[in-house]
Amino acid sequence: MLRSKITAVVVAAAALAMALAAVMSYRGVSELVDNELERGLEDRMHSVHTLVAAGLTPPPRQGMADQILSDRGTVRRLTPSGPRIPVSASALKVARTGQGGHMADVVIDGTDYVILTRPLPHGGAVMVAQSHEGAARVDDAFLWRITGTTAAALALSALLSWFALGRILRPVRNLARTTARITATQDLSTDLPPAGSDEVGQLTRSFASMLTALRRSREQQHRLVQDASHELRTPLTSVRGSAELLQRGRGRLAAEDEEQILTTLVTEAAALDDLVCELVELATDRYTDEAPVTVDLTVLAEETALRHRARTGRTVTVTAEEPVPVRARPRALQRCVDNLLSNAVKFSPQDTPVALHVKGCRLSVRDRGPGIEPADRDAVFDRFYRGSRTQATPGSGLGLAIVHDSVTADGGTVFATEADGGGAEVGFVLPPSGSSPNTLTVRRRLRKASRTE
Protein backbone atom coordinates (compact mmCIF):
# COMPACT_ATOMS: atom_id res chain seq x y z
CA MET A 1 0.00 0.00 0.00
CA LEU A 2 1.38 3.40 -1.00
CA ARG A 3 0.24 5.00 2.24
CA SER A 4 2.15 2.47 4.36
CA LYS A 5 5.29 2.75 2.23
CA ILE A 6 5.36 6.54 2.37
CA THR A 7 4.66 6.47 6.12
CA ALA A 8 7.54 4.04 6.61
CA VAL A 9 9.87 6.28 4.61
CA VAL A 10 8.80 9.37 6.57
CA VAL A 11 9.22 7.60 9.92
CA ALA A 12 12.61 6.22 8.89
CA ALA A 13 13.79 9.68 7.88
CA ALA A 14 12.42 11.17 11.11
CA ALA A 15 14.06 8.39 13.15
CA LEU A 16 17.42 9.04 11.50
CA ALA A 17 17.14 12.79 12.12
CA MET A 18 16.01 12.33 15.71
CA ALA A 19 18.70 9.73 16.44
CA LEU A 20 21.36 12.08 15.10
CA ALA A 21 19.95 14.93 17.20
CA ALA A 22 19.80 12.69 20.28
CA VAL A 23 23.42 11.56 19.88
CA MET A 24 24.61 15.11 19.41
CA SER A 25 22.57 16.27 22.42
CA TYR A 26 23.87 13.41 24.59
CA ARG A 27 27.45 14.19 23.66
CA GLY A 28 26.90 17.84 24.40
CA VAL A 29 25.34 17.11 27.79
CA SER A 30 28.10 14.62 28.68
CA GLU A 31 30.74 17.19 27.84
CA LEU A 32 28.90 19.77 29.91
CA VAL A 33 28.67 17.36 32.89
CA ASP A 34 32.39 16.58 32.63
CA ASN A 35 33.20 20.27 32.60
CA GLU A 36 31.03 20.83 35.68
CA LEU A 37 32.76 17.89 37.39
CA GLU A 38 36.18 19.40 36.75
CA ARG A 39 35.00 22.84 37.85
CA GLY A 40 33.63 21.39 41.10
CA LEU A 41 36.93 19.57 41.66
CA GLU A 42 38.88 22.80 41.11
CA ASP A 43 36.59 24.68 43.50
CA ARG A 44 37.07 22.01 46.19
CA MET A 45 40.83 22.08 45.67
CA HIS A 46 40.89 25.86 46.14
CA SER A 47 38.81 25.60 49.32
CA VAL A 48 40.97 22.86 50.81
CA HIS A 49 44.16 24.74 49.90
CA THR A 50 42.92 27.89 51.61
CA LEU A 51 41.71 26.12 54.77
CA VAL A 52 44.85 24.02 55.16
CA ALA A 53 47.06 27.10 54.75
CA ALA A 54 45.02 28.72 57.55
CA GLY A 55 45.45 25.66 59.78
CA LEU A 56 41.79 24.65 59.47
CA THR A 57 40.19 21.36 58.49
CA PRO A 58 37.81 21.56 55.53
CA PRO A 59 34.26 20.34 56.13
CA PRO A 60 33.36 17.02 54.47
CA ARG A 61 31.41 16.99 51.21
CA GLN A 62 29.37 14.06 49.90
CA GLY A 63 31.08 12.15 47.13
CA MET A 64 34.46 13.74 47.86
CA ALA A 65 37.61 12.82 49.84
CA ASP A 66 40.59 15.02 50.78
CA GLN A 67 44.07 14.27 52.12
CA ILE A 68 47.52 15.83 52.64
CA LEU A 69 50.49 14.05 51.07
CA SER A 70 53.91 14.90 52.52
CA ASP A 71 57.11 14.97 50.53
CA ARG A 72 58.11 11.73 52.29
CA GLY A 73 54.95 9.97 51.10
CA THR A 74 52.99 9.97 54.35
CA VAL A 75 49.26 10.66 54.15
CA ARG A 76 47.03 12.66 56.49
CA ARG A 77 43.35 12.15 55.71
CA LEU A 78 41.19 15.22 56.04
CA THR A 79 37.91 13.31 55.59
CA PRO A 80 38.23 10.13 57.70
CA SER A 81 34.76 8.96 56.65
CA GLY A 82 35.64 9.12 52.96
CA PRO A 83 37.50 6.52 50.92
CA ARG A 84 41.24 6.18 51.00
CA ILE A 85 42.82 7.97 48.07
CA PRO A 86 45.58 5.91 46.44
CA VAL A 87 48.91 7.64 45.98
CA SER A 88 50.46 7.31 42.56
CA ALA A 89 54.04 8.01 41.58
CA SER A 90 52.91 11.14 39.74
CA ALA A 91 51.15 12.48 42.82
CA LEU A 92 54.22 11.71 44.98
CA LYS A 93 56.42 13.59 42.49
CA VAL A 94 54.19 16.67 42.82
CA ALA A 95 54.49 16.49 46.63
CA ARG A 96 58.32 16.14 46.56
CA THR A 97 59.03 18.76 43.90
CA GLY A 98 56.31 21.23 44.86
CA GLN A 99 55.66 21.91 41.16
CA GLY A 100 52.99 21.10 38.59
CA GLY A 101 49.84 19.17 39.22
CA HIS A 102 48.26 15.85 38.33
CA MET A 103 44.76 14.58 37.48
CA ALA A 104 43.82 10.93 37.06
CA ASP A 105 40.77 8.63 36.96
CA VAL A 106 40.82 5.68 39.37
CA VAL A 107 38.43 3.08 40.75
CA ILE A 108 38.09 3.01 44.56
CA ASP A 109 35.97 0.25 46.08
CA GLY A 110 34.20 -0.24 42.75
CA THR A 111 33.38 3.44 42.27
CA ASP A 112 34.94 5.71 39.67
CA TYR A 113 36.75 8.77 41.03
CA VAL A 114 38.74 11.58 39.51
CA ILE A 115 41.76 12.67 41.63
CA LEU A 116 43.38 16.11 41.45
CA THR A 117 46.80 16.69 43.10
CA ARG A 118 48.23 20.17 43.65
CA PRO A 119 51.41 21.18 45.60
CA LEU A 120 51.37 23.12 48.95
CA PRO A 121 53.52 26.27 49.36
CA HIS A 122 55.71 24.79 52.14
CA GLY A 123 56.09 21.28 50.73
CA GLY A 124 53.79 18.38 50.22
CA ALA A 125 50.58 18.34 48.24
CA VAL A 126 46.80 18.32 48.57
CA MET A 127 44.86 15.45 46.96
CA VAL A 128 41.14 15.82 46.27
CA ALA A 129 39.01 12.95 44.92
CA GLN A 130 35.48 13.33 43.54
CA SER A 131 33.10 10.50 42.68
CA HIS A 132 31.64 10.10 39.18
CA GLU A 133 28.34 8.83 40.57
CA GLY A 134 26.57 12.19 40.32
CA ALA A 135 27.74 12.73 36.76
CA ALA A 136 26.79 9.16 35.87
CA ARG A 137 23.30 9.69 37.31
CA VAL A 138 22.88 12.84 35.23
CA ASP A 139 24.11 11.02 32.10
CA ASP A 140 21.81 8.07 32.70
CA ALA A 141 18.81 10.28 33.47
CA PHE A 142 19.39 12.35 30.34
CA LEU A 143 19.91 9.22 28.23
CA TRP A 144 16.67 7.64 29.39
CA ARG A 145 14.78 10.90 29.04
CA ILE A 146 16.03 11.65 25.53
CA THR A 147 15.39 8.03 24.50
CA GLY A 148 11.81 8.22 25.75
CA THR A 149 11.29 11.62 24.16
CA THR A 150 12.66 10.40 20.82
CA ALA A 151 10.48 7.29 20.91
CA ALA A 152 7.38 9.37 21.72
CA ALA A 153 8.23 11.84 18.96
CA LEU A 154 8.67 9.00 16.48
CA ALA A 155 5.35 7.49 17.45
CA LEU A 156 3.65 10.87 17.15
CA SER A 157 5.28 11.55 13.76
CA ALA A 158 4.22 8.12 12.52
CA LEU A 159 0.64 8.75 13.63
CA LEU A 160 0.52 12.24 12.14
CA SER A 161 2.13 11.01 8.91
CA TRP A 162 -0.42 8.21 8.64
CA PHE A 163 -3.38 10.57 9.00
CA ALA A 164 -1.81 13.33 6.87
CA LEU A 165 -0.93 10.91 4.07
CA GLY A 166 -4.39 9.43 4.25
CA ARG A 167 -5.84 12.89 3.68
CA ILE A 168 -3.33 13.70 0.93
CA LEU A 169 -3.76 10.37 -0.89
CA ARG A 170 -7.54 10.29 -0.62
CA PRO A 171 -7.97 12.03 -4.02
CA VAL A 172 -5.51 9.55 -5.55
CA ARG A 173 -7.51 6.60 -4.16
CA ASN A 174 -10.75 8.14 -5.44
CA LEU A 175 -9.17 8.62 -8.86
CA ALA A 176 -7.84 5.06 -8.86
CA ARG A 177 -11.27 3.65 -7.94
CA THR A 178 -12.97 5.70 -10.63
CA THR A 179 -10.49 4.69 -13.35
CA ALA A 180 -10.78 1.05 -12.26
CA ARG A 181 -14.58 1.30 -12.56
CA ILE A 182 -14.25 2.87 -16.02
CA THR A 183 -11.88 0.07 -17.06
CA ALA A 184 -14.25 -2.61 -15.77
CA THR A 185 -17.48 -1.14 -17.15
CA GLN A 186 -16.09 0.59 -20.30
CA ASP A 187 -18.41 3.46 -19.39
CA LEU A 188 -16.54 6.54 -20.60
CA SER A 189 -19.36 8.83 -19.41
CA THR A 190 -18.32 8.29 -15.77
CA ASP A 191 -17.26 11.56 -14.15
CA LEU A 192 -13.88 11.80 -12.45
CA PRO A 193 -13.54 13.20 -8.89
CA PRO A 194 -13.25 17.00 -8.56
CA ALA A 195 -9.75 18.28 -9.31
CA GLY A 196 -7.92 20.47 -6.82
CA SER A 197 -5.10 22.92 -7.44
CA ASP A 198 -2.25 20.66 -6.32
CA GLU A 199 -0.29 17.96 -8.19
CA VAL A 200 -3.08 15.42 -7.64
CA GLY A 201 -5.49 17.91 -9.20
CA GLN A 202 -3.18 18.23 -12.21
CA LEU A 203 -3.14 14.44 -12.49
CA THR A 204 -6.94 14.36 -12.33
CA ARG A 205 -7.21 17.02 -15.03
CA SER A 206 -4.81 15.04 -17.22
CA PHE A 207 -6.98 11.94 -16.77
CA ALA A 208 -10.05 14.02 -17.58
CA SER A 209 -8.45 15.27 -20.81
CA MET A 210 -7.50 11.73 -21.75
CA LEU A 211 -11.03 10.53 -20.98
CA THR A 212 -12.49 13.32 -23.12
CA ALA A 213 -10.22 12.30 -25.99
CA LEU A 214 -11.32 8.67 -25.59
CA ARG A 215 -14.98 9.71 -25.60
CA ARG A 216 -14.43 11.74 -28.75
CA SER A 217 -12.57 8.86 -30.39
CA ARG A 218 -15.32 6.39 -29.53
CA GLU A 219 -17.99 8.76 -30.82
CA GLN A 220 -16.05 9.19 -34.05
CA GLN A 221 -15.69 5.41 -34.38
CA HIS A 222 -19.41 4.88 -33.82
CA ARG A 223 -20.24 7.60 -36.31
CA LEU A 224 -17.80 6.15 -38.83
CA VAL A 225 -19.30 2.68 -38.45
CA GLN A 226 -22.83 4.02 -38.83
CA ASP A 227 -21.94 6.15 -41.85
CA ALA A 228 -19.92 3.35 -43.41
CA SER A 229 -22.75 0.85 -42.98
CA HIS A 230 -25.11 3.31 -44.65
CA GLU A 231 -22.74 4.00 -47.55
CA LEU A 232 -21.86 0.33 -48.04
CA ARG A 233 -25.50 -0.72 -48.13
CA THR A 234 -26.24 0.93 -51.50
CA PRO A 235 -23.48 -0.75 -53.59
CA LEU A 236 -23.96 -4.03 -51.74
CA THR A 237 -27.70 -3.95 -52.50
CA SER A 238 -26.94 -3.29 -56.15
CA VAL A 239 -24.37 -6.11 -56.27
CA ARG A 240 -26.72 -8.53 -54.53
CA GLY A 241 -29.67 -7.58 -56.76
CA SER A 242 -27.61 -8.02 -59.92
CA ALA A 243 -26.23 -11.35 -58.72
CA GLU A 244 -29.72 -12.65 -57.85
CA LEU A 245 -31.00 -11.50 -61.23
CA LEU A 246 -28.25 -13.44 -62.97
CA GLN A 247 -29.00 -16.49 -60.83
CA ARG A 248 -32.73 -16.45 -61.54
CA GLY A 249 -32.37 -15.69 -65.23
CA ARG A 250 -29.47 -18.01 -65.90
CA GLY A 251 -29.68 -19.16 -69.50
CA ARG A 252 -32.78 -17.08 -70.22
CA LEU A 253 -31.34 -13.56 -70.33
CA ALA A 254 -30.37 -11.88 -73.54
CA ALA A 255 -26.66 -11.32 -74.10
CA GLU A 256 -26.99 -7.57 -73.87
CA ASP A 257 -28.90 -7.87 -70.55
CA GLU A 258 -26.21 -10.13 -69.12
CA GLU A 259 -23.55 -7.71 -70.28
CA GLN A 260 -25.34 -4.83 -68.59
CA ILE A 261 -25.71 -6.77 -65.32
CA LEU A 262 -22.04 -7.82 -65.37
CA THR A 263 -21.00 -4.22 -66.04
CA THR A 264 -23.06 -3.14 -63.04
CA LEU A 265 -21.41 -5.81 -60.90
CA VAL A 266 -17.91 -4.74 -61.94
CA THR A 267 -18.70 -1.03 -61.42
CA GLU A 268 -20.24 -1.54 -57.99
CA ALA A 269 -17.43 -3.91 -56.94
CA ALA A 270 -14.86 -1.26 -57.94
CA ALA A 271 -16.83 1.36 -56.00
CA LEU A 272 -16.90 -0.95 -52.98
CA ASP A 273 -13.15 -1.49 -53.26
CA ASP A 274 -12.49 2.25 -53.38
CA LEU A 275 -14.85 2.86 -50.47
CA VAL A 276 -13.25 0.16 -48.30
CA CYS A 277 -9.75 1.50 -49.07
CA GLU A 278 -10.75 5.03 -48.11
CA LEU A 279 -12.52 3.80 -44.98
CA VAL A 280 -9.35 2.01 -43.91
CA GLU A 281 -7.31 5.13 -44.73
CA LEU A 282 -9.63 7.32 -42.70
CA ALA A 283 -9.98 4.96 -39.74
CA THR A 284 -6.32 4.03 -39.33
CA ASP A 285 -4.40 7.09 -40.60
CA ARG A 286 -1.48 4.93 -41.65
CA TYR A 287 0.84 7.94 -41.70
CA THR A 288 0.47 8.62 -37.98
CA ASP A 289 3.99 7.36 -37.24
CA GLU A 290 5.52 9.47 -40.00
CA ALA A 291 7.73 12.23 -38.62
CA PRO A 292 6.95 15.81 -39.75
CA VAL A 293 9.69 17.39 -41.88
CA THR A 294 10.18 20.62 -43.79
CA VAL A 295 8.28 20.34 -47.11
CA ASP A 296 8.40 22.57 -50.19
CA LEU A 297 4.79 22.91 -51.37
CA THR A 298 5.91 23.81 -54.90
CA VAL A 299 7.90 20.58 -55.26
CA LEU A 300 4.98 18.63 -53.80
CA ALA A 301 2.53 20.25 -56.25
CA GLU A 302 4.78 19.57 -59.27
CA GLU A 303 5.31 15.91 -58.36
CA THR A 304 1.59 15.33 -57.81
CA ALA A 305 0.58 17.19 -61.00
CA LEU A 306 3.06 15.17 -63.06
CA ARG A 307 1.59 11.92 -61.79
CA HIS A 308 -1.98 13.00 -62.47
CA ARG A 309 -1.14 14.14 -66.01
CA ALA A 310 0.31 10.71 -66.76
CA ARG A 311 -2.60 8.89 -65.11
CA THR A 312 -5.59 10.86 -66.50
CA GLY A 313 -4.25 12.72 -69.52
CA ARG A 314 -5.78 15.91 -68.15
CA THR A 315 -4.12 19.32 -68.15
CA VAL A 316 -2.87 20.21 -64.66
CA THR A 317 -1.06 23.52 -64.24
CA VAL A 318 1.15 24.52 -61.29
CA THR A 319 1.87 28.11 -60.26
CA ALA A 320 3.67 29.47 -57.23
CA GLU A 321 3.74 32.87 -55.55
CA GLU A 322 6.33 33.49 -52.84
CA PRO A 323 6.17 29.89 -51.52
CA VAL A 324 7.13 29.30 -47.89
CA PRO A 325 8.37 25.92 -46.56
CA VAL A 326 5.89 24.18 -44.26
CA ARG A 327 6.19 21.57 -41.53
CA ALA A 328 4.17 18.42 -42.25
CA ARG A 329 4.26 14.66 -42.89
CA PRO A 330 5.25 14.41 -46.57
CA ARG A 331 3.43 11.18 -47.48
CA ALA A 332 0.23 12.20 -45.69
CA LEU A 333 0.44 15.63 -47.32
CA GLN A 334 0.92 14.08 -50.75
CA ARG A 335 -2.20 11.98 -50.19
CA CYS A 336 -4.09 15.19 -49.41
CA VAL A 337 -2.99 16.85 -52.68
CA ASP A 338 -3.82 13.63 -54.55
CA ASN A 339 -7.34 13.68 -53.14
CA LEU A 340 -7.79 17.36 -54.01
CA LEU A 341 -6.64 16.76 -57.60
CA SER A 342 -8.78 13.62 -57.95
CA ASN A 343 -11.85 15.57 -56.83
CA ALA A 344 -11.05 18.43 -59.20
CA VAL A 345 -10.53 16.07 -62.17
CA LYS A 346 -13.71 14.16 -61.33
CA PHE A 347 -15.94 17.23 -61.15
CA SER A 348 -14.39 19.21 -64.05
CA PRO A 349 -15.49 18.86 -67.67
CA GLN A 350 -13.13 16.71 -69.74
CA ASP A 351 -11.66 19.58 -71.81
CA THR A 352 -11.02 21.98 -68.93
CA PRO A 353 -7.72 22.35 -67.03
CA VAL A 354 -7.16 21.91 -63.31
CA ALA A 355 -4.94 24.48 -61.60
CA LEU A 356 -2.67 23.98 -58.60
CA HIS A 357 -1.56 27.23 -56.95
CA VAL A 358 0.89 27.74 -54.08
CA LYS A 359 0.98 31.06 -52.24
CA GLY A 360 3.08 31.26 -49.10
CA CYS A 361 1.96 28.36 -46.88
CA ARG A 362 -1.31 27.97 -48.82
CA LEU A 363 -2.00 25.33 -51.47
CA SER A 364 -5.24 25.37 -53.48
CA VAL A 365 -6.71 23.31 -56.33
CA ARG A 366 -9.12 25.01 -58.74
CA ASP A 367 -11.52 23.21 -61.06
CA ARG A 368 -14.16 24.21 -63.60
CA GLY A 369 -16.91 22.03 -62.21
CA PRO A 370 -20.33 22.87 -60.76
CA GLY A 371 -18.81 24.62 -57.74
CA ILE A 372 -19.83 24.40 -54.10
CA GLU A 373 -22.90 26.02 -52.58
CA PRO A 374 -22.06 28.50 -49.75
CA ALA A 375 -24.03 26.36 -47.30
CA ASP A 376 -21.93 23.31 -48.22
CA ARG A 377 -18.43 24.82 -47.93
CA ASP A 378 -17.83 23.63 -44.40
CA ALA A 379 -19.80 20.40 -44.67
CA VAL A 380 -17.86 19.09 -47.70
CA PHE A 381 -15.06 18.06 -45.32
CA ASP A 382 -17.43 15.83 -43.31
CA ARG A 383 -17.40 12.10 -43.86
CA PHE A 384 -19.69 10.81 -46.63
CA TYR A 385 -21.04 14.29 -47.30
CA ARG A 386 -22.16 14.91 -50.88
CA GLY A 387 -22.99 18.43 -52.00
CA SER A 388 -26.27 19.20 -53.71
CA ARG A 389 -24.49 19.84 -57.02
CA THR A 390 -22.48 16.60 -56.98
CA GLN A 391 -25.03 13.99 -55.94
CA ALA A 392 -25.02 12.37 -59.37
CA THR A 393 -21.21 12.04 -59.56
CA PRO A 394 -19.81 8.71 -58.31
CA GLY A 395 -17.65 8.88 -55.21
CA SER A 396 -17.40 7.86 -51.58
CA GLY A 397 -17.51 11.30 -49.99
CA LEU A 398 -14.37 10.52 -47.96
CA GLY A 399 -11.61 12.23 -49.96
CA LEU A 400 -11.99 15.67 -48.41
CA ALA A 401 -12.56 14.16 -44.95
CA ILE A 402 -9.13 12.52 -45.25
CA VAL A 403 -7.67 15.88 -46.29
CA HIS A 404 -9.26 17.57 -43.28
CA ASP A 405 -8.01 14.98 -40.76
CA SER A 406 -4.45 14.90 -42.13
CA VAL A 407 -4.05 18.67 -42.40
CA THR A 408 -5.50 19.42 -38.96
CA ALA A 409 -3.26 16.72 -37.47
CA ASP A 410 -0.28 18.75 -38.77
CA GLY A 411 -1.65 21.97 -37.28
CA GLY A 412 -3.19 23.36 -40.48
CA THR A 413 -6.64 24.42 -41.70
CA VAL A 414 -8.73 23.56 -44.78
CA PHE A 415 -10.98 25.74 -46.91
CA ALA A 416 -13.44 25.50 -49.81
CA THR A 417 -14.61 28.53 -51.80
CA GLU A 418 -16.14 29.47 -55.13
CA ALA A 419 -13.45 30.04 -57.77
CA ASP A 420 -13.37 33.19 -59.90
CA GLY A 421 -15.04 32.46 -63.20
CA GLY A 422 -16.91 29.39 -61.86
CA GLY A 423 -15.93 26.11 -60.31
CA ALA A 424 -14.52 25.43 -56.86
CA GLU A 425 -11.25 26.23 -55.12
CA VAL A 426 -10.36 23.78 -52.36
CA GLY A 427 -7.13 23.61 -50.37
CA PHE A 428 -5.34 24.01 -47.08
CA VAL A 429 -2.95 26.23 -45.12
CA LEU A 430 -0.12 24.76 -43.02
CA PRO A 431 2.11 26.37 -40.41
CA PRO A 432 5.48 27.57 -41.75
CA SER A 433 8.69 25.70 -41.03
CA GLY A 434 11.68 27.38 -39.47
CA SER A 435 14.19 26.08 -42.07
CA SER A 436 14.49 25.83 -45.82
CA PRO A 437 13.85 22.35 -47.25
CA ASN A 438 16.35 20.36 -49.24
CA THR A 439 14.64 20.06 -52.64
CA LEU A 440 16.39 16.82 -53.54
CA THR A 441 15.42 15.27 -50.21
CA VAL A 442 11.80 16.37 -50.63
CA ARG A 443 11.63 14.90 -54.14
CA ARG A 444 13.09 11.59 -52.94
CA ARG A 445 10.57 11.37 -50.10
CA LEU A 446 7.65 12.14 -52.43
CA ARG A 447 8.77 9.62 -55.05
CA LYS A 448 9.23 6.98 -52.37
CA ALA A 449 5.71 7.77 -51.12
CA SER A 450 4.35 7.42 -54.67
CA ARG A 451 5.91 3.98 -55.04
CA THR A 452 4.31 2.78 -51.78
CA GLU A 453 0.80 4.01 -52.61
Side-chain angles (χ1 to χ4, degrees):
M1 178 187 266
L2 181 61
R3 183 182 184 184
S4 301
K5 292 180 180 179
I6 297 179
T7 302
V9 172
V10 171
V11 171
L16 182 61
M18 290 181 182
L20 182 61
V23 170
M24 297 300 293
S25 299
Y26 179 74
R27 290 184 61 181
V29 169
S30 296
E31 185 177 349
L32 181 61
V33 170
D34 290 341
N35 291 337
E36 288 297 322
L37 181 66
E38 291 180 8
R39 189 177 294 110
L41 194 61
E42 290 284 354
D43 291 343
R44 179 64 176 178
M45 174 61 73
H46 179 72
S47 299
V48 172
H49 231 282
T50 302
L51 292 172
V52 169
L56 301 174
T57 301
R61 183 181 293 181
Q62 185 178 3
M64 285 189 169
D66 314 307
Q67 65 185 24
I68 302 296
L69 177 63
S70 70
D71 55 358
R72 295 188 299 272
T74 59
V75 175
R76 179 167 66 92
R77 299 175 64 192
L78 300 176
T79 52
S81 61
R84 291 181 176 275
I85 303 175
V87 178
S88 65
S90 298
L92 187 58
K93 181 180 178 181
V94 172
R96 287 175 177 174
T97 61
Q99 295 178 354
H102 177 68
M103 182 180 289
D105 291 321
V106 297
V107 178
I108 304 175
D109 298 331
T111 303
D112 291 329
Y113 281 83
V114 59
I115 301 174
L116 179 60
T117 305
R118 290 285 173 82
L120 287 170
H122 304 293
V126 175
M127 299 182 70
V128 178
Q130 182 171 350
S131 171
H132 277 288
E133 286 184 347
R137 282 195 301 271
V138 173
D139 276 356
D140 291 343
F142 179 77
L143 181 61
W144 281 106
R145 184 168 297 178
I146 197 171
T147 300
T149 303
T150 302
L154 281 176
L156 181 61
S157 65
L159 186 63
L160 292 177
S161 299
W162 179 264
F163 285 109
L165 286 171
R167 183 178 182 85
I168 294 171
L169 294 177
R170 188 178 299 119
V172 178
R173 290 197 299 270
N174 294 337
L175 181 61
R177 283 195 294 267
T178 304
T179 54
R181 183 164 62 251
I182 293 174
T183 303
T185 62
Q186 297 295 308
D187 182 11
L188 300 182
S189 63
T190 304
D191 292 328
L192 294 178
S197 58
D198 54 3
E199 288 79 2
V200 178
Q202 295 177 5
L203 178 64
T204 303
R205 284 189 289 273
S206 298
F207 270 96
S209 300
M210 181 180 65
L211 192 60
T212 301
L214 287 174
R215 289 177 188 142
R216 189 183 303 114
S217 176
R218 177 173 287 185
E219 290 171 359
Q220 291 174 349
Q221 290 176 0
H222 287 170
R223 188 169 65 252
L224 178 61
V225 170
Q226 293 170 358
D227 293 343
S229 63
H230 173 74
E231 294 296 324
L232 287 170
R233 190 173 294 114
T234 299
L236 282 175
T237 301
S238 179
V239 169
R240 180 177 179 179
S242 299
E244 289 177 348
L245 183 59
L246 278 177
Q247 185 181 38
R248 288 196 303 269
R250 185 170 47 190
R252 298 193 300 274
L253 293 174
E256 59 273 14
D257 293 335
E258 287 188 355
E259 182 66 25
Q260 183 179 359
I261 294 173
L262 291 173
T263 300
T264 301
L265 283 172
V266 172
T267 302
E268 295 297 338
L272 277 173
D273 183 64
D274 291 340
L275 181 58
V276 169
C277 290
E278 290 191 335
L279 279 173
V280 172
E281 182 81 25
L282 189 63
T284 60
D285 189 5
R286 56 195 177 99
Y287 301 122
T288 301
D289 296 333
E290 185 182 14
V293 297
T294 300
V295 178
D296 189 327
L297 288 178
T298 305
V299 175
L300 176 69
E302 290 173 350
E303 292 284 338
T304 310
L306 180 64
R307 194 165 57 255
H308 274 264
R309 292 189 197 106
R311 184 188 306 166
T312 64
R314 298 290 295 272
T315 300
V316 181
T317 63
V318 178
T319 56
E321 182 180 349
E322 298 180 354
V324 175
V326 298
R327 188 80 174 171
R329 298 167 296 164
R331 295 172 63 189
L333 191 58
Q334 185 180 58
R335 178 60 190 268
C336 293
V337 181
D338 276 335
N339 286 358
L340 292 176
L341 276 178
S342 296
N343 265 16
V345 169
K346 180 167 58 177
F347 293 118
S348 293
Q350 184 66 31
D351 57 347
T352 59
V354 173
L356 258 169
H357 182 64
V358 176
K359 182 178 181 181
C361 300
R362 182 180 187 269
L363 183 146
S364 61
V365 178
R366 176 180 173 180
D367 61 47
R368 298 293 181 179
I372 304 174
E373 294 284 353
D376 296 335
R377 289 174 188 173
D378 291 330
V380 292
F381 294 101
D382 294 340
R383 297 170 181 178
F384 303 107
Y385 186 84
R386 305 295 297 278
S388 57
R389 299 179 181 178
T390 58
Q391 293 287 342
T393 306
S396 64
L398 291 175
L400 293 184
I402 294 174
V403 173
H404 173 272
D405 289 356
S406 295
V407 170
T408 53
D410 286 333
T413 57
V414 294
F415 62 87
T417 63
E418 192 80 13
D420 294 336
E425 185 178 9
V426 185
F428 54 80
V429 180
L430 286 168
S433 174
S435 60
S436 299
N438 185 311
T439 302
L440 180 59
T441 302
V442 172
R443 290 186 184 276
R444 286 176 177 171
R445 286 178 178 268
L446 295 175
R447 286 170 182 168
K448 182 179 179 181
S450 300
R451 289 194 296 269
T452 56
E453 289 292 333

